[in-house]
Amino acid sequence: MKLIGEKSISTVLNKILLVGSIAQLLYLGYIILGFIIVSINIHQGTHYFSETFKTGNFNNELTKTAADSSDFQFNMPLSDSVIKGNYTLYTFISIIFFIGFYSLFTFYLFRIFKGMSSEIIFNTKVIQDLKLFAMLNIIFIPVYCTILYFMDQSIYSIDPMLILLHLTLGIIILFIIEFFKKGYELQSENDLTI
């Protein structure tokens, strides 16, 4: 099986990445729904979906007071899995940022592989998607650092390997864009000669 073009590995990958991106968005939507329902239950004293979206002290720690932040526990549908964490605004923001970022990450990979699944690989759409993907990876770094700094008030919680990974990926993609531009120019010249 060939790597690029119609009926290739890139065609299979673009379908897998589309499903992955949709699954990540559904997961993010479910978590946001859970935070909204828990907030309504806490502030209005209601018990909507209280078996699915719970808050409280799940570690049975006696030292925790009512003034401390409580924990959340969301049961995942169609499985016995649960999502647990501290019920704080910072947790909510970090979940939205990271899952939202990686669903965009997966979506742009889908678009790139979809463009590489066509017979004409060097086209402006793939070049544009590669530019957006490179910028997404480079912009991730300052946003990631800012969010983590304001959450923990410390630079020590910032993972340098994640920064290096996204910076390297963004720079490599910028080089790949130049190859695609040259390929597009050659393809355009070849089409004009024929």
Side-chain angles (χ1 to χ4, degrees):
M1 184 175 242
K2 56 187 180 174
L3 286 175
I4 52 178
E6 292 179 0
K7 297 180 183 176
S8 64
I9 293 175
S10 61
T11 306
V12 174
L13 282 175
N14 87 50
K15 291 180 186 347
I16 291 170
L17 289 165
L18 178 62
V19 169
S21 180
I22 291 171
Q24 288 170 331
L25 287 173
L26 289 173
Y27 181 68
L28 179 62
Y30 183 76
I31 291 174
I32 291 172
L33 176 69
F35 270 91
I36 291 170
I37 289 174
V38 164
S39 177
I40 290 171
N41 287 346
I42 289 173
H43 296 322
Q44 296 182 358
T46 57
H47 298 288
Y48 300 123
F49 302 103
S50 59
E51 290 301 313
T52 304
F53 304 111
K54 304 174 190 174
T55 57
N57 185 0
F58 300 109
N59 296 329
N60 296 324
E61 296 173 2
L62 298 175
T63 58
K64 208 171 225 186
T65 64
D68 290 337
S69 65
S70 62
D71 297 330
F72 69 87
Q73 179 175 313
F74 300 162
N75 295 332
M76 292 299 294
L78 308 173
S79 72
D80 292 333
S81 302
V82 293
I83 305 164
K84 294 181 181 182
N86 290 333
Y87 182 70
T88 63
L89 179 62
Y90 294 123
T91 304
F92 181 66
I93 290 170
S94 65
I95 288 172
I96 287 177
F97 172 70
F98 285 104
I99 297 175
F101 169 78
Y102 284 109
S103 63
L104 270 176
F105 184 92
T106 309
F107 178 72
Y108 277 107
L109 278 176
F110 151 73
R111 288 178 54 139
I112 291 166
F113 279 105
K114 183 178 179 188
M116 291 182 185
S117 298
S118 65
E119 282 304 313
I120 301 173
I121 297 160
F122 299 112
N123 59 55
T124 55
K125 185 178 178 307
V126 173
I127 294 170
Q128 184 64 30
D129 288 338
L130 282 167
K131 281 182 189 176
L132 290 171
F133 188 62
M135 290 302 115
L136 180 71
N137 278 284
I138 293 171
I139 289 172
F140 169 80
I141 297 166
V143 175
Y144 166 74
C145 293
T146 304
I147 287 175
L148 282 185
Y149 178 76
F150 283 112
M151 284 176 56
D152 294 336
Q153 296 295 315
S154 169
I155 60 168
Y156 298 111
S157 62
I158 298 171
D159 184 9
M161 292 308 292
L162 194 61
I163 292 171
L164 187 61
L165 171 76
H166 285 285
L167 180 63
T168 304
L169 187 59
I171 291 170
I172 289 171
I173 292 169
L174 290 174
F175 280 99
I176 292 172
I177 289 169
E178 291 305 314
F179 288 116
F180 268 80
K181 284 181 181 177
K182 293 291 182 196
Y184 179 70
E185 289 172 12
L186 289 173
Q187 185 174 309
S188 298
E189 289 174 9
N190 189 28
D191 290 344
L192 290 176
T193 354
I194 295 175

